[in-house]
Amino acid sequence: MTHSGDRAHTVTTRGQLAALALLLAAIAVLAKWHEGPVFWVGALLGLAGLGGYFTRFDSPRGAAQWLLAAVGFCMVAVFTLQFLIGVFA
């Protein structure tokens, strides 16, 4: 008998990598631009990455996912700091 629910187990999911990529893109944008429409595009990228981070890393399994979750947490902190600097500058 075959099972239709069996899949190969991967270390990370596409959603986790997409959330980290969005956060990385937002950090790169906010590092260069501190005002104007490009700043707000970076802020929207970061908010999408932040939402993805909180939905995709809610229960990491295994050491690799915990490591990615820790890296993502640091990226969230950097994004938040850069966003606050841009807003209050």
Side-chain angles (χ1 to χ4, degrees):
M1 296 188 85
T2 61
H3 299 286
S4 61
D6 290 344
R7 294 186 313 197
H9 180 68
T10 59
V11 175
T12 61
T13 64
R14 286 183 292 176
Q16 290 172 333
L17 295 177
L20 293 178
L22 284 170
L23 280 170
L24 186 62
I27 290 169
V29 168
L30 295 182
K32 185 155 177 76
W33 290 283
H34 300 289
E35 58 187 25
V38 179
F39 171 80
W40 293 108
V41 168
L44 288 175
L45 283 173
L47 287 176
L50 188 67
Y53 175 78
F54 284 125
T55 57
R56 291 295 172 180
F57 286 102
D58 59 344
S59 59
R61 290 177 220 87
Q65 285 190 359
W66 277 105
L67 182 63
L68 281 177
V71 168
F73 183 78
C74 293
M75 291 170 73
V76 166
V78 169
F79 164 73
T80 303
L81 184 64
Q82 285 184 334
F83 178 74
L84 290 175
I85 288 171
V87 167
F88 293 118

